[in-house]
Amino acid sequence: MRITGARVIVTCPGRNFVTLKIVTDEGLTGVGDATLNGREQAVAAYLEQHVVPVLLGRDPARIEDTWQALYKGAYWRRGPVTMSAIAAVDTALWDIKGKVAGLPVYQLLGGRSRDGVTVYGHAAAETVDDALTDVARLVDAGYRAVRVQTGVPGLGTTYGVSADPRTYEPAGSALPAEAVWSTPRYLAHVPAVFARVRAEFGPDLRLLHDAHHRLTPIEAAALGRDLEPYRLTWLEDPVPAELQEGYRLIRQHTTTPLAVGEVFNSIWDCRRLITEQLIDYIRTSVVHAGGISHLRRIFDLANLYHVRSGSHGATDLSPVCLAAALHVDLSIPNFGLQEYMPHSAETDAVFPHGYRFAGGYLHPAEEPGLGVDIDEDLAARYPYRPASLPVNRLEDGTLHSW
């Protein structure tokens, strides 16, 4: 069998997605997600100009060899654009291999390590009262874990909060929008939010919170300490992860579990955090960390150091990525949680899939391969629309994080 074609499909059924579809001379196809929020066209061009020509004529069964060829064949290695492109190829080849074997991909990864994949939902609202209502909505739907975000009093907007969290999309205008941020207001507000959530929903519901890289290590340490009475499952992205030594300071001051990694692209980005046990959950995703093959390497390393998975799974990743993630989640021994934000009806129509949500768990499709595809005719009805992620400035005008 040989690869005879590979198509890069950019579509926007409510938000932009990049998909690679590989075709073989025996008529089998495989799909991979290459979406990079706010930089979709960069990955599409990388695939079309640098990757697709390398794929033509290759044996699709040689997944590891193809991964190494794409990684080592680029002198300028790693980075989100390169690794998202490699991820799309890798995921599509696993899809094809599953179809050749007549098995769902998780069976090729060692089979089930659990019956279902526990997911967490997003409760987000401007006010605490509305956030509590949203938590109740998710609990009623069967979620066993909920990430809680609210607006910060005195600030006009807050990243991570929208009018309807079920359709939340942070990328908006073609050029980055700017908002105002205040760390002191935020640090004073968040512990009170979780005091109310715990009081209303009791000790058993798993609670999470995302700081979106906004804090310094000592600020993050203080927040983690203040949140300890409410027993969070994790505090996510407390500080920018470029200086990983900062997590040592946070660890010295709080027992609140820490999660990070959705912006990481390789095992080398998180090696120190894992091997020094500075985090509890690693949140790398299939699409941004080099595909199923490389994500498994990261999770295998994490397993040696008591670090569990917590893969990114917001709606800036397509159903192709989510389907792939579920096969990995089901098979690894050190699974923690999987983020899950349901896609829009338009997106689900463009990406028909067999995975399903039931009772707080996601279940991958049982059909051969990943159990997801792309309707190319329908995708063509939704042309690309430029959209950028916002940025924040402090109240004095200093450019800050999200």
Side-chain angles (χ1 to χ4, degrees):
M1 188 186 303
R2 295 291 165 183
I3 296 172
T4 56
R7 297 190 290 275
V8 180
I9 306 155
V10 182
T11 183
C12 186
R15 63 105 42 237
N16 294 312
F17 298 107
V18 181
T19 306
L20 178 70
K21 190 163 195 174
I22 294 177
V23 181
T24 73
D25 57 2
E26 295 187 10
L28 291 177
T29 63
V31 290
D33 188 10
T35 306
L36 184 62
N37 200 356
R39 296 293 183 269
E40 295 89 354
Q41 294 286 46
V43 186
Y46 190 98
L47 282 167
E48 290 172 342
Q49 297 172 23
H50 304 290
V51 174
V52 169
V54 175
L55 296 178
L56 300 180
R58 292 185 69 89
D59 180 355
R62 298 181 63 167
I63 298 177
E64 181 64 27
D65 184 65
T66 299
W67 195 99
Q68 296 294 338
L70 294 175
Y71 182 82
K72 295 178 179 177
Y75 182 83
W76 312 104
R77 298 179 184 179
R78 297 161 60 183
V81 173
T82 295
M83 297 304 282
S84 296
I86 293 175
V89 175
D90 184 82
T91 304
L93 295 182
W94 276 104
D95 192 18
I96 291 171
K97 186 172 284 290
K99 292 172 181 176
V100 170
L103 294 170
V105 167
Y106 76 81
Q107 294 287 14
L108 305 181
L109 300 176
R112 289 177 178 268
S113 288
R114 57 200 44 83
D115 295 327
V117 174
T118 306
V119 296
Y120 70 89
H122 288 212
E126 281 296 333
T127 69
V128 180
D129 287 340
D130 287 344
L132 292 173
T133 299
D134 209 31
V135 173
R137 172 183 66 84
L138 293 169
V139 170
D140 290 343
Y143 284 84
R144 292 171 165 79
V146 179
R147 194 189 84 169
V148 183
Q149 311 288 134
T150 73
V152 177
L155 301 183
T157 60
T158 304
Y159 186 89
V161 176
S162 67
D164 185 354
R166 289 166 290 188
T167 58
Y168 177 66
E169 171 51 60
S173 55
L175 297 178
E178 292 190 0
V180 175
W181 176 253
S182 170
T183 299
R185 294 175 189 266
Y186 168 77
L187 292 176
H189 175 64
V190 171
V193 173
F194 282 91
R196 289 195 59 186
V197 176
R198 270 289 176 236
E200 182 153 337
F201 293 95
D204 295 331
L205 181 63
R206 301 175 70 175
L207 299 177
L208 307 87
H209 180 70
D210 191 348
H212 289 115
H213 313 274
R214 296 184 183 114
L215 307 176
T216 65
I218 199 66
E219 291 167 345
L223 178 60
R225 183 190 58 204
D226 290 344
L227 290 173
E228 284 177 11
Y230 314 114
R231 296 175 42 249
L232 268 62
T233 294
W234 75 49
L235 173 63
E236 180 182 339
D237 292 344
V239 301
E242 289 91 341
L243 185 64
Q244 298 187 2
E245 292 86 342
Y247 280 80
R248 294 177 187 157
L249 189 150
I250 302 172
R251 275 289 206 222
Q252 292 170 3
H253 294 281
T254 181
T255 58
T256 294
L258 303 174
V260 70
E262 71 181 64
V263 299
F264 292 169
N265 311 126
S266 76
I267 196 169
W268 297 279
D269 295 327
C270 50
R271 180 186 59 82
R272 175 173 292 173
L273 291 174
I274 290 171
T275 59
E276 295 188 18
Q277 298 179 297
L278 301 179
I279 58 174
D280 302 276
Y281 295 86
I282 179 66
R283 288 191 24 80
T284 45
S285 67
V286 170
V287 65
H288 296 150
I292 291 173
S293 298
H294 196 65
L295 188 65
R296 276 296 300 265
R297 291 190 184 98
I298 293 172
F299 290 165
D300 285 344
L301 175 66
N303 188 43
L304 299 178
Y305 294 91
H306 309 294
V307 175
R308 289 181 282 182
S309 73
S311 288
H312 180 56
T315 47
D316 60 349
L317 309 180
S318 84
V320 174
C321 179
L322 182 57
L326 296 178
H327 289 278
V328 176
D329 293 336
L330 201 65
S331 64
I332 60 173
N334 57 323
F335 171 75
L337 283 174
Q338 170 67 54
E339 182 177 16
Y340 175 52
M341 294 181 69
H343 290 95
S344 67
E346 293 81 5
T347 297
D348 284 339
V350 170
F351 297 94
H353 55 267
Y355 62 75
R356 60 187 177 84
F357 174 79
Y361 301 105
L362 275 175
H363 302 272
E366 290 296 330
E367 64 193 73
L370 295 175
V372 63
D373 205 344
I374 182 169
D375 184 329
E376 296 185 61
D377 292 334
L378 187 55
R381 301 181 192 177
Y382 299 100
Y384 169 77
R385 186 178 67 235
S388 297
L389 291 166
V391 296
N392 274 341
R393 291 186 183 273
L394 300 180
E395 292 174 299
D396 67 357
T398 302
L399 192 66
H400 195 49
S401 186
W402 296 302

